[in-house]
Amino acid sequence: MTGYREPVDDAWGSLQGAVRLPDGRVVRGTGVSRPRAGAPPPEFAVYLLGREPGPVDWPHRWARWPDFGVPHSTADAIDALRDAHTRAEVERVEISCGAGIGRTGTALAVLAVLSGLPADAAVDWVRANYHPRAVETRRQRAWVLAAGASL
């Protein structure tokens, strides 16, 4: 990213699944199985899937991450989420897994930590601000704490 750009517009922040992180950046969480329903495309996306996503018309990163699990590579996942966090300052960023709940919620919790929230508060924050069942498993909760401690 070079040059100055205006912050993400309010329309992106009003979409279903959009959350305003503690530092004010807006990221949209969703599932690849959900229809776009007229939502504008992201300018950058992170896909948290067991296999690479199909053809995508916008810049994106893929973190290999099985359903109900944690990423195969913490380093790769954290790198993709750092990229998403940086881009969210001026771009429409989307985080997506299959249904948009467990893996997406786990990633959003880590983004909240990157935004300044303590790791031990991130799961409660994402459940209150994104989805009440976000971060579905004990392993995912533990991963948020471990990832947060390493940031």
Side-chain angles (χ1 to χ4, degrees):
M1 294 184 311
T2 59
Y4 176 79
R5 289 190 53 193
E6 290 294 323
V8 175
D9 59 71
D10 288 337
W12 185 252
S14 67
L15 292 173
Q16 181 179 8
V19 293
R20 185 167 301 279
L21 297 170
D23 63 5
R25 297 169 198 210
V26 175
V27 177
R28 180 175 187 244
T30 191
V32 295
S33 60
R34 293 184 187 170
R36 293 210 65 79
E43 294 171 297
F44 180 73
V46 175
Y47 293 101
L48 314 167
L49 301 167
R51 65 182 72 192
E52 287 190 62
V56 180
D57 294 332
W58 41 81
H60 65 281
R61 301 269 306 263
W62 168 58
R64 188 172 183 200
W65 193 327
D67 202 7
F68 298 105
V70 296
H72 281 243
S73 168
T74 291
D76 288 347
I78 295 297
D79 188 56
L81 293 173
R82 282 186 189 278
D83 194 7
H85 183 254
T86 299
R87 289 171 176 257
E89 189 169 3
V90 294
E91 293 180 15
R92 294 187 309 265
V93 171
E94 190 170 86
I95 307 295
S96 186
C97 66
I101 300 171
R103 293 169 283 180
T104 296
T106 303
L108 291 173
V110 170
L111 287 173
V113 174
L114 286 168
S115 296
L117 195 69
D120 61 355
V123 172
D124 288 339
W125 182 89
V126 79
R127 287 179 175 169
N129 290 280
Y130 175 65
H131 194 286
R133 290 189 343 235
V135 192
E136 294 174 307
T137 69
R138 284 186 292 242
R139 285 184 66 210
Q140 289 173 341
R141 286 191 297 275
W143 188 81
V144 169
L145 287 172
S150 71
L151 298 176

